[in-house]
Amino acid sequence: MATAEFRTAVLEARRPVSLTCEGITRRSYVVSSIPGASQLPRALVTLLENVVRRAFTDDDAVRMAQAIVDAGTSGSAGDEIEFMPARVLFQDFTGVPVFVDFAAMRDAMLERGGDPMRVNPQIPCTLIVDHSVIADVAECSGAVEKNQEVEAARNRERFSFLKWASRSFQNVEIVPPGGGICHQLNIERFCNVVTTDALSGPSGEVACFDTLVGTDSHTTTANGVGVLGWGVGGIEAEAAALGQAISLLVPPVVELRLCGSLRPGVSGMDVALTVAQLLRCEGVVGTIVEVTGEGVLSLSATQRACVANMTPEYGATATLFPADDVTFDYLSMAGRDASEMAFARAYLKEQGVYGDAGERVYSRSIQL
């Protein structure tokens, strides 16, 4: 049962405040003043902000916030909450059936006398065509172009449908074949650490943590740049795209503390394989792993993403690195707007989760 003080703090957090930085002004749901929030792992602060902002009623917000704080401050698993990601990532093999479902919903709407154009994803959906590549031609000049021609011919019907979907549905962006691998493009182009709530309504932009689910287990690559997200099945992703929250138990959060720095010649993949071996032995299935320690600063954003990419290999839900100066240097190099990045830093600091600062409670700590 929530105390009166806790309930008051949650209800106060449900009244958004205005945050301005570098000429950008957005409403924000700041949860740092909720009792216990400063002790939570960064991943649970993200979930806390999510339930405070997205809960349908004040009672739901208080109940779910209490579940997160109770679990986080005791270092244990918690009760059920509703998580609404900011966006969904699809690759082409798992994404095509989802968009076929969307098209079928439009047919059903038309049959019932409704307006089929009302059927659209409610949050941004990005589909990247990257899982249909086969190297039919190799070891000759023009191999890339020839393979792309064969790929286009082989997948003509699917690609035509996807092109139609990109033009017909709102909140949909489809990256055509030849653009790159979905997780690479996700961190290079679509991860922003802080974004806006697509479901917030007409009363002004609402800032929120950039979160996602994806129809690929390695969606966790985004964790390397401080974005909380993980892989789900197609039905869950489709439901999220249509505005349905994902039910989950508050996960226990395990600290992976990195000490020291890499010796010359040691690669990001070496670290990723070492972490995978260590965490398999430690048993972290179903947890969120949160990476801390001075060793984090010695890793580049791409090395962090390499480690986070391996999350499914040891059964964790996510492997979350902090969003810090290294993160924003990478995002700036990748072409993000400077004003947006300045706003993102300010937002993270307001929520108390910029970098690796703070004394946080974890279910246990593992040192590398």
Side-chain angles (χ1 to χ4, degrees):
M1 178 71 69
T3 65
E5 177 191 9
F6 187 88
R7 181 180 179 86
T8 299
V10 172
L11 297 185
E12 182 66 27
R14 275 173 67 80
R15 291 195 285 267
V17 299
S18 180
L19 178 62
T20 300
C21 183
E22 293 290 323
I24 298 173
T25 299
R26 294 188 178 113
R27 294 182 300 147
S28 303
Y29 291 78
V30 178
V31 299
S32 53
S33 62
I34 293 176
S38 63
Q39 298 175 272
L40 295 179
R42 298 183 308 274
L44 295 190
V45 174
T46 300
L47 294 180
L48 179 62
E49 185 276 340
N50 196 277
V51 301
V52 166
R53 172 171 44 88
R54 295 299 331 154
F56 285 114
T57 68
D58 288 346
D59 287 343
D60 286 342
V62 172
R63 174 182 57 80
M64 291 189 286
Q66 187 75 70
I68 293 170
V69 171
D70 286 349
T73 55
S74 64
S76 61
D79 293 335
E80 186 176 49
I81 62 171
E82 300 288 322
F83 168 63
M84 189 66 230
R87 57 191 176 92
V88 181
L89 178 71
F90 298 99
Q91 46 95 337
D92 48 325
F93 274 9
T94 53
V96 167
V98 171
F99 283 93
V100 169
D101 281 351
F102 292 160
M105 290 177 203
R106 283 195 169 179
D107 287 343
M109 177 71 88
L110 187 63
E111 289 173 2
R112 287 160 177 77
D115 179 5
M117 301 308 290
R118 292 181 61 192
V119 177
N120 286 290
Q122 300 300 296
I123 61 175
C125 294
T126 304
L127 185 148
I128 298 171
V129 179
D130 72 331
H131 275 54
S132 57
V133 177
I134 299 174
D136 294 278
V137 180
E139 299 184 5
C140 66
S141 62
V144 171
E145 293 78 9
K146 183 60 179 175
N147 280 314
Q148 288 179 343
E149 290 176 8
V150 174
E151 179 186 7
R154 180 179 288 137
N155 296 280
R156 180 181 180 87
E157 186 176 15
R158 293 173 58 245
F159 289 176
S160 295
F161 172 73
L162 288 175
K163 179 172 283 190
W164 171 84
S166 70
R167 294 170 174 171
S168 299
F169 291 103
Q170 299 173 16
N171 287 325
V172 171
E173 179 172 359
I174 296 181
V175 179
I181 298 169
C182 63
H183 310 303
Q184 163 214 341
L185 291 179
N186 189 30
I187 63 171
E188 287 182 0
R189 290 176 49 181
F190 303 114
C191 286
N192 290 306
V193 183
V194 174
T195 186
T196 55
D197 184 347
L199 296 172
S200 57
S203 55
E205 282 193 319
V206 172
C208 63
F209 290 101
D210 183 11
T211 56
L212 78 152
V213 292
T215 56
D216 189 295
S217 58
H218 293 277
T219 301
T220 53
T221 306
N223 303 162
V225 291
V227 173
L228 182 62
W230 55 82
V232 296
I235 293 175
E236 280 185 295
E238 183 174 327
L242 293 171
Q244 176 67 49
I246 295 172
S247 296
L248 71 152
L249 299 177
V250 180
V253 182
V254 174
E255 178 186 34
L256 174 63
R257 175 163 287 275
L258 303 184
C259 302
S261 58
L262 300 186
R263 295 191 305 274
V266 178
S267 70
M269 181 54 74
D270 294 326
V271 182
L273 293 173
T274 301
V275 168
Q277 181 183 36
L278 173 64
L279 296 186
R280 278 181 175 177
C281 293
E282 290 286 344
V284 294
V285 173
T287 71
I288 289 179
V289 175
E290 194 159 286
V291 189
T292 70
E294 75 274 11
V296 173
L297 289 174
S298 72
L299 298 180
S300 68
T302 51
Q303 287 172 324
R304 298 175 187 186
C306 189
V307 174
N309 176 68
M310 292 292 284
T311 300
E313 312 309 324
Y314 43 87
T317 299
T319 303
L320 187 65
F321 283 81
D324 56 13
D325 291 349
V326 172
T327 306
F328 285 99
D329 286 346
Y330 169 79
L331 294 176
S332 296
M333 181 191 69
R336 300 302 194 281
D337 179 79
S339 297
E340 289 287 354
M341 292 300 95
F343 181 89
R345 288 177 192 255
Y347 178 89
L348 296 177
K349 290 176 181 178
E350 191 77 9
Q351 300 284 14
V353 292
Y354 188 80
D356 189 25
E359 293 294 325
R360 306 182 186 277
V361 176
Y362 294 97
S363 64
R364 57 192 164 110
S365 183
I366 301 166
Q367 184 169 299
L368 176 60

